[in-house]
Amino acid sequence: MDRFFIALLPPQHIQEYANSIKQYFADKYASRSAQKSPPHITLQPPFEWPDNAVSNLGIIDQVSKTSPFVPHLTVAFRDLTKQNFRTAWPEFVQRQLHFEYTATHLTLLIHNGKCWNIKSKFAFCPTL
């Protein structure tokens, strides 16, 4: 079984902005784990699935199916200590951010044991 997750990868300018925030958290708050994946909006959190069944469009992880979930863009991860979270929170709680884009495909990412890489992209509409 391999580990996968499903996401929307935003355009390059949004990825660059998210990477700058990730780098800030790495430098100032020692939270580096978010840098192990490209900037993305998580739609299906990590799940285990047989790699040979990826062409099957019925990907439904039974564990995630029963858990509440909110799509999000990760800029810091579980390696952000509680103390550093409490320090960072006042700095970021009032920050507003607004980006818009039209997503053209879903991205399936696979974990290689160290970081997340793009496995496949699934277009919403065929190219005309």
Side-chain angles (χ1 to χ4, degrees):
M1 298 279 245
D2 289 300
R3 287 188 56 79
F4 296 95
F5 76 89
I6 300 170
L8 298 174
L9 270 62
Q12 191 61 37
H13 71 283
I14 298 174
Q15 289 193 40
E16 289 170 3
Y17 183 83
N19 279 331
S20 71
I21 299 296
K22 287 180 179 189
Q23 187 62 52
Y24 183 82
F25 271 90
D27 294 342
K28 187 164 183 177
Y29 299 109
S31 179
R32 293 177 180 80
S33 292
Q35 294 177 313
K36 294 181 180 181
S37 64
H40 61 277
I41 300 168
T42 304
L43 298 178
Q44 172 66 52
F47 59 95
E48 292 188 357
W49 197 259
D51 192 17
N52 62 357
V54 168
S55 299
N56 178 355
L57 297 178
I59 297 176
I60 299 172
D61 177 49
Q62 294 304 317
V63 174
S64 296
K65 188 176 175 181
T66 60
S67 301
F69 183 74
V70 176
H72 62 278
L73 194 145
T74 301
V75 295
F77 203 63
R78 293 183 186 129
D79 62 342
L80 180 66
T81 65
K82 287 182 182 182
Q83 181 175 342
N84 280 345
F85 175 84
R86 285 191 288 273
T87 303
W89 183 253
E91 183 178 356
F92 286 91
V93 68
Q94 295 299 324
R95 259 195 208 186
Q96 294 187 13
L97 177 65
H98 181 83
F99 286 112
E100 287 185 27
Y101 75 97
T102 300
T104 59
H105 60 275
L106 290 175
T107 303
L108 179 67
L109 293 102
I110 187 169
H111 200 270
N112 68 8
K114 293 184 181 183
C115 63
W116 293 96
N117 294 301
I118 295 171
K119 168 77 175 173
S120 304
K121 293 181 181 182
F122 302 93
F124 291 131
C125 297
T127 307
L128 300 176

